[in-house]
Amino acid sequence: MTGVDLVELHSVPEPPPCPRCGKDGILSALVSHGWTNASGADVRGWVTVVLCADCDADAPHAAPLITWFHVHGSVDADNDAAFLALLTEWAKNVRVATLDEATLEEEITAWRRGEL
């Protein structure tokens, strides 16, 4: 799968922590993702993606949105159109990491042995 099919954005009182660096994120979105399993069937699901000022600063689709948050801080009637345009561009370019089936199998085996 390439790109994002669906994105759900949720307003939360506190910024979500970035899973990559642990610092406060700017926003999070639920992003649809999927892969084709060994039998050829599509497997679909949702994953939370966090926009992080540090980790995403160099990403061309994220940097303008990060800058927008630094300048405006929050969305209101005066800036909602610009926000939506930048959010849409970011969401269209979000990439969800491909499932590493070998690592998954290793974790399942470790869990079955009681190691996790």
Side-chain angles (χ1 to χ4, degrees):
M1 182 174 117
T2 59
V4 172
D5 293 328
L6 297 170
V7 174
E8 264 186 49
L9 190 67
H10 296 268
S11 178
V12 294
E14 294 295 320
C18 175
R20 294 164 286 176
C21 70
K23 295 179 182 175
D24 284 346
I26 296 174
L27 63 82
S28 65
L30 286 175
V31 177
S32 69
H33 70 106
W35 62 90
T36 303
N37 66 18
S39 65
D42 285 338
V43 179
R44 306 290 295 169
W46 293 87
V47 65
T48 300
V49 176
V50 175
L51 176 66
C52 176
D54 289 341
C55 297
D56 297 318
D58 294 331
H61 58 276
L65 184 56
I66 293 167
T67 300
W68 185 93
F69 271 102
H70 287 308
V71 172
H72 299 285
S74 63
V75 181
D76 60 35
D78 294 330
N79 61 28
D80 62 346
F83 169 74
L84 287 173
L86 293 170
L87 178 66
T88 300
E89 188 62 25
W90 172 70
K92 286 189 325 187
N93 290 283
V94 168
R95 298 292 181 254
V96 176
T98 305
L99 176 68
D100 182 340
E101 292 187 46
T103 299
L104 176 61
E105 285 301 321
E106 290 171 8
E107 289 181 3
I108 291 170
T109 301
W111 178 77
R112 288 183 177 149
R113 288 192 304 248
E115 297 171 1
L116 294 179

